[in-house]
DNA sequence: ATCACGTATGGGAGCGCTCCCACCGTACCT
DNA sequence: AGGTACGGTGGGAGCGCTCCCATACGTGAT
């Protein structure tokens, strides 16, 4: 339903901008060409041009060619505002980041998502709006914004368990796709990576390397993904026949500082641990620092595995073994799902996509 | 077509629910309220409501109050598309980043700019579109995009000397504000930091510390800012009555590697130097490396000062004295200038704002 | 030839706003 | 009193599209 692209039109040459300060009453022919002008040029009606532009099949080949020629000659580009107004849609979707701006820029996760989404939208006429909803004030604005119908759909990432946004979206009937669900039962379409499987693979790897006392540093457990990673850790241990010692589980919050704190607690409670699975690379970095200070060598004394396979992992010394999530792909899939849902807002069918993760083994384990 | 990443900053209004899937032929009252409905409710004409919404002064207090009440009761929010169409504007501006996406997310410079711009736009109805123009393909798209009049104005950052974008903008007559001009003679409104003053302060500081043989490593001199920093270096020396020994000036290119090379040349030509002012932190990092290898202690043997006050500076060992630029403030001012220029595209007046820099003294000097 | 049907096409009727012009009343002049 | 101004107001005329209903023109069946 989104439209097709036309070839670029020369900028330096003919393109004159809409009369800087000219009166609206001033004659035609000044500004950008309109549908009507294309129609006249092609010798057809307005409706037909519209059909061609929007890729309707009910146009004869000859007519289509004539229109396309006229479009190219005139350098016609549809007027977004007019289209939105007439069609009652905005051709824009929002990527909602329920975090303060600072974190958005700090975490590579978001930039990968943006890249993926951007790729999926690249040859679409859809605009991507980035909205931060870190503070209460921002969230209130966002709610108004959504209610005002300023976007055709919403992409939601990194949602906390107590976040009412998904419900609001559902209630407003705005198409939405979520990544990082609050639970397995979220009402929205979702794209996730296989957190459980990734964590299981990481821990299995540690076991295979002969580690016996494997601790874990978890993310905020009100984040579904963090919970899954913890489940994966438990699963792997259970599968190996080991009993999980709860003292080996240290909750943290996905920050480096939190990782350090958790590591200190772990070292305190179980000085004999010989491996740590951190639920994020950033937390692993915090843990590494503490291990260093405690004189533990990595990986000789303690093996360390992270999650995310971010730049942090590659640049750590020693390079960090980590679970890679196909984040860019997730962004792409989210956008695809959303586009589809916008085009056809039919049933209450809520697709769930789970993308596989991959363990990237490096020097730290 | 062009990728438009956008940071949207929604504006508040009363929240009202959207009607999903109502036929356009279906009766009124279903969807969001329109201007007309507000007018009816307030017992005034459409024009008057429009005037109130847009803050026109030619409305009586009583009428304004009545309209505002109606707006609140109905939860009216103007329809963006309709407004754009009628007013022939888009209420969107683009922040053009002539870099690949990756660099955008990597450099704190950009996030600070975005934060500043966002702040300035926060209680405006203006949307911020982020566009990357790293590749040739992207730039061509951008040109089409701009020519198609999809934004009311453009914010341009980090422009290279041979970049034709400013000229294109000027030619298209699109309001634009640039930061990091190509030269003092750029056609556009500009916001810059006081590169000259910052450099002068850095060198004066070195002089005050008793350093006598102060060298400098410059950035690419085809970048206006780099030239300014060199001027500042010269000024400070001249003010102190010293004669600038041209052998103490080593040109580089803003890279770490370039900084190293320049430092080597400097050491070679003037082994007796006791201080170095590098025109960027990154180059200072390169210089530091070479000084280390040459057995010079910092700051005991050679004092080192950088420029940018980036993370590099804070994390260097020893922590680098550097010149801080008020980047967020620059973003804010850029947005302000652009808004102003869009509102009143009158004269060819091109304001230039130069923001003060600040020397942050740390251990390296 | 006549009818029925399907396909391609033209163009009217808006979408919800801004602009602008005509108009009203009142205040202030002569 | 009549004239002139001007602040305040209502509403027509679009902005450039999409929708959808007519219409025109096939085609094959009757």
């Amino acid at each position: 339903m989104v439209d097709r692209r036309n070839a670029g039109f020369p900028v330096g040459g003919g393109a004159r901008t809409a009369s800087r300060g000219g009166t609206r009453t001033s004659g035609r022919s000044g500004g950008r060409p309109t549908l009507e002008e294309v129609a006249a040029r092609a010798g057809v009606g307005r409706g037909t041009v519209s059909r061609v532009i929007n890729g309707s099949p009910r146009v004869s080949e000859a007519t289509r060619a004539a229109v396309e020629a006229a479009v190219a000659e005139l350098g016609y580009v549809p007027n977004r505002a007019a289209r939105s107004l007439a069609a009652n849609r905005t051709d824009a979707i929002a990527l909602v980041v329920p975090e303060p701006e600072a974190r958005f820029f700090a975490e590579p996760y978001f930039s990968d998502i943006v890249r993926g989404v951007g790729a999926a939208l690249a040859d679409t006429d859809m605009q991507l709006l980035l909205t931060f909803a870190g503070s209460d004030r921002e969230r209130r604005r966002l709610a108004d914004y959504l209610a005002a119908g300023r976007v055709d759909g919403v992409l939601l990432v990194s949602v906390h368990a107590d976040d009412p946004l998904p419900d609001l979206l559902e209630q407003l009937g705005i198409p939405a796709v979520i990544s990082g669900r609050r639970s397995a039962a979220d009402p929205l379409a979702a794209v996730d990576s296989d957190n459980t499987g990734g964590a299981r693979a990481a821990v299995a790897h540690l076991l295979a390397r002969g580690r016996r006392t494997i601790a874990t540093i978890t993310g905020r457990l009100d984040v579904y993904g963090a919970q899954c990673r913890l489940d994966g850790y438990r699963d792997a241990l259970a599968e190996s026949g080991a009993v999980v010692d709860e003292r080996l589980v240290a909750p943290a919050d996905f920050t480096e500082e939190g990782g350090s704190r958790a590591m200190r607690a772990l070292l305190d409670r179980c000085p004999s641990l010989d491996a740590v699975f951190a639920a994020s690379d950033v937390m692993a970095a915090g843990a590494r620092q503490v291990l260093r200070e405690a004189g533990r060598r990595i990986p000789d004394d303690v093996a360390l595995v992270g999650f995310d396979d971010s730049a942090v992992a590659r640049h750590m010394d020693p390079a960090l073994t980590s679970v890679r999530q196909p984040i860019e792909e997730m962004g792409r899939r989210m956008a695809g799902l959303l586009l589809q849902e916008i085009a056809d807002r039919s049933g209450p069918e809520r697709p769930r996509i789970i993308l596989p993760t991959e363990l990237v083994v490096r020097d730290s384990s």
Side-chain angles (χ1 to χ4, degrees), chain A residues 100-154:
Chain A
E101 250 173 286
R103 267 204 66 200
F104 173 81
F105 284 103
E107 288 195 35
Y109 172 82
F110 293 114
S111 72
D112 285 350
I113 286 278
V114 169
R115 192 166 306 134
V117 171
L121 261 35
D123 32 39
T124 282
D125 206 10
M126 216 32 111
Q127 276 195 342
L128 210 215
L129 275 61
L130 255 185
T131 37
F132 303 101
S135 68
D136 267 4
R137 185 152 157 281
E138 285 175 331
R139 321 203 108 219
R140 224 164 306 120
R141 278 185 161 190
L142 174 64
D144 290 352
Y145 195 66
L146 297 176
R150 302 264 255 227
V151 291
D152 293 337
V154 171

Side-chain angles (χ1 to χ4, degrees), chain A residues 58-130:
Chain A
R58 1 194 76 247
V59 181
S60 73
E61 256 333 299
T63 311
R64 179 184 309 279
V67 170
E68 276 167 355
V71 164
E73 284 167 37
L74 262 30
Y76 171 76
V77 180
N79 178 315
R80 231 164 195 267
R83 173 179 285 184
S84 285
L85 181 59
N88 191 34
R89 52 183 156 101
T90 64
D91 286 327
I93 64 177
L95 173 59
V96 173
V97 182
E99 305 280 349
E101 250 173 286
R103 267 204 66 200
F104 173 81
F105 284 103
E107 288 195 35
Y109 172 82
F110 293 114
S111 72
D112 285 350
I113 286 278
V114 169
R115 192 166 306 134
V117 171
L121 261 35
D123 32 39
T124 282
D125 206 10
M126 216 32 111
Q127 276 195 342
L128 210 215
L129 275 61
L130 255 185

Side-chain angles (χ1 to χ4, degrees), chain A residues 290-306:
Chain A
V290 171
L291 286 169
R292 273 279 166 94
E293 288 164 6
R296 312 285 181 118
R297 287 167 307 165
I298 302 172
D300 314 271
D301 302 325
V302 177
L304 187 59
V305 176

Side-chain angles (χ1 to χ4, degrees), chain A residues 273-331:
Chain A
L273 59 81
D274 60 6
V276 176
F277 164 59
S280 84
D281 289 347
V282 173
M283 292 195 297
R288 167 187 161 279
Q289 193 60 30
V290 171
L291 286 169
R292 273 279 166 94
E293 288 164 6
R296 312 285 181 118
R297 287 167 307 165
I298 302 172
D300 314 271
D301 302 325
V302 177
L304 187 59
V305 176
F307 207 109
D308 288 343
D309 189 33
S310 58
V312 177
R314 286 187 294 279
H315 293 141
M316 197 178 294
D317 174 31
L320 183 71
T321 293
S322 188
V323 179
R324 196 182 89 82
Q325 309 182 71
I327 301 183
E328 190 171 332
E329 172 71 10
M330 288 168 67

Side-chain angles (χ1 to χ4, degrees), chain A residues 15 46 204:
Chain A
R46 229 170 50 251

Side-chain angles (χ1 to χ4, degrees), chain A residues 15 34 79 131 190 193 235 247 252 263 278 296 316 345:
Chain A
T34 69
N79 178 315
T131 37
S193 65
D235 288 0
R247 288 173 313 161
M263 191 67 244
R296 312 285 181 118
M316 197 178 294
R345 20 178 103 197

